[in-house]
Amino acid sequence: MIFLIITIIIAVALYIVARTTLLGMTFRVAVKAIANNKGRSFLSMLGIIIGVAAVIVMMAIGQGSKESVRQNISQMGTNIIMVRPGADMRGGVRQDPSSMQTLKMEDYEAIRDQASYIMYTSPEVSSSGQVIYGANNTNTSVYGESLEYMDIKQWTIEEGTCFTEQDVQSAAKVCLIGQTVAKELFPDGGEIVGKTIRFKSMPVRIVGVLKSKGYNSFGMDQDNLLIMPYTTVMKRLLAQTYFSSINCSALTEEMTDQAIDELTTILRNNHKLKADADDDFTIHSQAEMMETMSSTMDSITLILVVAAAFSLLVAGIGIMNIMLVSVTERTKEIGLRMSVGARGLDISIQFLIESILISVTGGVLGILVGFGLCQIATSLFALPTSIPGWSIILSFAVCTLIGVLFGYIPAKKAANLDPIEAIRYE
Amino acid sequence: MDTKDKKVVIELQDVRREFQVGDEVVKALRGVSFKIYEGEFVTIQGTSGSGKSTLLNQLGCLDTPTSGEYLLDGVPVRTMTKNQRAKLRNRKIGFIFQNYNLLAKTTAVENVELPLMYNNKVKAQERRERAVKALIEVGLGDRLEHKSNQMSGGQMQRVAIARALVNDPTILLADEATGNLDTRTSFEMLVLFQKLHREGHTIIFVTHNPEIAQYSSRNIFLRDGQIKSDTYNDNILDAATALAALPKPVD
Ligand SMILES: Nc1ncnc2c1ncn2[C@@H]1O[C@H](COP(=O)(O)OP(=O)(O)OP(=O)(O)O)[C@@H](O)[C@H]1O
Ligand SMILES: [Mg+2]
């Protein structure tokens, strides 16, 4: 829309200028020179068209992927903060197994009861293995969680209900079933809620079916899971007393940092760590994840755009080449114009306008081609694309710059011709 | 001729022009000096290669002498900047090239408009009007939109004349301006030049045709880049009378 308005304004301005001034005359001469050499002008434009289209497409894919990753991450839940056992592994030092068992019931209770920046808390224990119903079976993961997990990860229940606080207390053999597992076990459909399935030979009753979340941007099927009360998984399945992680949700996204500080204090107190001791747990937040993801995406986009930008440079050299040919070819014309009073400046402006015109027209066509390619990429290959508005303005600016830069040398060459020598040139 | 109260427009002082062709030096002008007063109609004659075009290029500020001084309105052209010379060519001088030098693939009107394009005082409307008027004057009123490659040699020559007239120059430099025209059309052009002469324009006219010299006020003969003779014409013939005396064209 803005693009259209800008184009109209430019067109009107150019029209007025073209009708009234010397610059306008020069502009018309340049248009005519291009029109007289349509094929050649188009070929040198082609470089710009391809270059700009490539830049636009790369930026659009970069931006589009970033947006979709962001969307995916935020779909994973609200303001999630993940606490994992063990120190930060960034050093790559192998840690002994006991260090992975630092998150205990007391930690969960302390966070739940004391943390003021935390809205929801859910301890997590997980396992994976085969789940069976009748003759059907499939491999899946089981997550043991508290009720608040549903809010943290924004799960909704399509059929049936969630398990209850009572179920958690009693470590009841109940579960929520993900869509993928449901489809595998109940290929014929029908009533699922109330059926009893077996996981690692333990019978569990399905109390609810989760609404599908689909695949995340890492290509993981988010619906291939069972959710059970954490007590059930801990006591009846794994017989362990520690958690594999604790998931929390900060009150608001802005409070994430305070929440992390608070969690750290609570856990260090609980674990009776000395002031100079390292944390025996690691905290990651969704916000941090987004940050990392977008900066990774940004650098990938940058690499792609720089590669595409090189093609613009090559295109610029192509324009310079064609303009040099044009100056040589029109030496006689230049001499003639000078003999009737054109100054060097008038001549160089004429050639500058010509090269700018070629590059900007190429730029406009390139933007259109870029738009088209993005549409195709989205509809044919399901690539997420989003063209940032500034990339269009940038393309315009870059094309004008290319026109000026690469038109300068040929224009200078034309302006420095000697009239009588030029006019004698055959 | 009485020249006391006349202004000197053009003054050449020992102008030389040499060209380096390979190892050889071609001396096209070997010390030419003369003064041309305002309102003179000078014809320059000489054999081919005698330096007429080279001389005219000097006068038209298109080329600069190897040595010697050219004063235009008393100002040495050597001291002018490129842009000042461009402006002179644009406002003061009308130049008709020996080989026309029209813009290819461009209509007659656009060719004639060309000098006015580089004069920002003249707006688009006026530019066209003046170009059309100049073309009508040279008898090409019906060829306005013809492109240069769609015209005969004589027509192109007349477009070149119109282009030289369009900026109403005080000095008109013509290099064989009628060389490609039939007798009748050359006389028509000659009538035009005589009219401009009467209106006060200074005209310098290079020609091979000794007959034309009878219609100008002064004749300069060149030989080997030097002036062989420089004479005033006391008995200027009237081109209009000569034109009327020509046998009527048969339709
Ligand atoms: N650019 C140039 N380079 C080299 N030699 C030149 C150049 N221009 C003119 N000459 C030489 O200078 C001499 C005079 O040339 P000029 O064109 O002035 O002759 P002219 O009197 O106009 O002849 P014509 O009647 O055939 O037009 C010639 O010998 C020509 O070869
Ligand atoms: Mg000549």
Side-chain angles (χ1 to χ4, degrees), chain A residues 424, chain B residues 19 21 26 28 47-55 98 176 208:
Chain A
R424 279 171 167 272
Chain B
F19 296 101
V21 183
V26 179
T47 51
S48 178
S50 58
K52 304 183 296 294
S53 296
T54 309
L55 177 62
Q98 190 165 12
E176 295 282 0
H208 272 134

Side-chain angles (χ1 to χ4, degrees), chain B:
Chain B
M1 187 176 144
D2 184 20
T3 55
K4 271 182 215 125
D5 52 342
K6 292 270 185 174
K7 199 180 124 208
V8 178
V9 198
I10 287 169
E11 180 174 356
L12 294 187
Q13 300 170 346
D14 194 30
V15 165
R16 291 166 194 273
R17 182 68 168 103
E18 294 167 0
F19 296 101
Q20 188 77 43
V21 183
D23 294 337
E24 216 181 323
V25 176
V26 179
K27 295 183 175 173
L29 297 176
R30 310 162 180 249
V32 175
S33 307
F34 58 69
K35 287 180 186 171
I36 291 174
Y37 295 87
E38 192 173 36
E40 278 195 281
F41 185 167
V42 184
T43 45
I44 297 178
Q45 297 180 74
T47 51
S48 178
S50 58
K52 304 183 296 294
S53 296
T54 309
L55 177 62
L56 216 58
N57 288 341
Q58 307 294 323
L59 299 181
C61 297
L62 287 167
D63 198 8
T64 41
T66 311
S67 72
E69 198 78 86
Y70 168 27
L71 305 163
L72 186 62
D73 284 329
V75 184
V77 171
R78 192 173 42 79
T79 63
M80 295 178 186
T81 64
K82 269 186 164 186
N83 284 351
Q84 282 170 326
R85 266 178 275 172
K87 194 167 177 177
L88 275 178
R89 292 197 293 270
N90 188 240
R91 310 286 160 87
K92 201 175 167 65
I93 300 167
F95 202 103
I96 302 158
F97 290 95
Q98 190 165 12
N99 48 359
Y100 335 130
N101 284 330
L102 300 184
L103 277 184
K105 298 180 191 168
T106 308
T107 64
V109 173
E110 284 172 319
N111 262 297
V112 176
E113 277 185 88
L114 199 61
L116 300 179
M117 265 176 61
Y118 298 103
N119 181 347
N120 50 18
K121 288 199 196 86
V122 183
K123 295 280 166 278
Q125 172 98 26
E126 187 192 344
R127 186 167 60 223
R128 192 174 168 92
E129 284 167 6
R130 280 169 68 171
V132 170
K133 194 172 145 255
L135 278 166
I136 291 171
E137 250 179 315
V138 297
L140 287 177
D142 55 344
R143 292 281 188 279
L144 298 180
E145 300 298 337
H146 283 227
K147 299 214 165 143
S148 33
N149 49 327
Q150 300 165 338
M151 285 185 287
S152 72
Q155 287 168 336
M156 289 198 275
Q157 192 152 47
R158 283 184 282 162
V159 173
I161 296 173
R163 185 179 63 196
L165 297 180
V166 77
N167 56 352
D168 196 25
T170 51
I171 303 171
L172 201 58
L173 304 172
D175 199 349
E176 295 282 0
T178 56
N180 251 303
L181 302 179
D182 57 279
T183 321
R184 189 170 186 85
T185 322
S186 351
F187 271 104
E188 281 168 3
M189 292 304 112
L190 217 46
V191 170
L192 180 61
F193 280 106
Q194 283 196 328
K195 185 183 136 226
L196 292 165
H197 178 218
R198 274 196 302 279
E199 286 167 3
H201 295 256
T202 308
I203 301 169
I204 299 166
F205 197 109
V206 169
T207 180
H208 272 134
N209 185 352
E211 204 186 337
I212 287 178
Q214 297 175 278
Y215 298 87
S216 71
S217 64
R218 180 177 169 187
N219 305 312
I220 294 177
F221 268 87
L222 280 187
R223 182 189 282 166
D224 290 336
Q226 282 175 316
I227 294 181
K228 199 183 93 183
S229 77
D230 184 351
T231 55
Y232 286 91
N233 183 2
D234 301 326
N235 180 26
I236 305 173
L237 298 184
D238 182 29
T241 325
L243 181 62
L246 282 177
K248 289 268 176 302
V250 267
D251 290 322

Side-chain angles (χ1 to χ4, degrees), chain A residues 236-309:
Chain A
R236 302 195 191 273
L237 265 179
L238 301 176
Q240 70 179 40
T241 55
Y242 55 90
F243 301 122
S244 53
S245 69
I246 298 175
N247 292 315
C248 309
S249 148
L251 281 178
T252 66
E253 199 187 324
E254 291 72 47
M255 289 181 189
T256 305
D257 285 341
Q258 284 107 305
I260 290 174
D261 288 346
E262 195 178 44
L263 284 174
T264 308
T265 315
I266 291 172
L267 290 173
R268 284 186 73 91
N269 272 341
N270 258 15
H271 296 174
K272 302 190 172 57
L273 294 178
K274 294 204 182 76
D276 58 348
D278 290 334
D279 292 345
D280 58 356
F281 53 88
T282 322
I283 300 179
H284 290 294
S285 69
Q286 196 178 8
E288 179 191 352
M289 234 169 103
M290 280 218 194
E291 193 76 2
T292 323
M293 273 319 288
S294 19
S295 77
T296 312
M297 297 300 293
D298 278 349
S299 32
I300 293 173
T301 309
L302 187 70
I303 292 168
L304 293 176
V305 169
V306 166

Side-chain angles (χ1 to χ4, degrees), chain A residues 15-64:
Chain A
Y15 181 77
I16 293 169
V17 167
R19 295 304 313 186
T20 50
T21 64
L22 170 66
L23 198 67
M25 280 306 302
T26 318
F27 185 83
R28 271 157 58 185
V29 170
V31 171
K32 207 169 145 187
I34 292 172
N36 279 344
N37 277 306
K38 284 191 200 73
R40 197 169 76 183
S41 307
F42 179 74
L43 284 178
S44 47
M45 236 177 245
L46 205 55
I48 294 282
I49 295 174
I50 293 169
V52 168
V55 169
I56 294 269
V57 169
M58 291 309 156
M59 287 207 262
I61 289 177
Q63 181 80 4

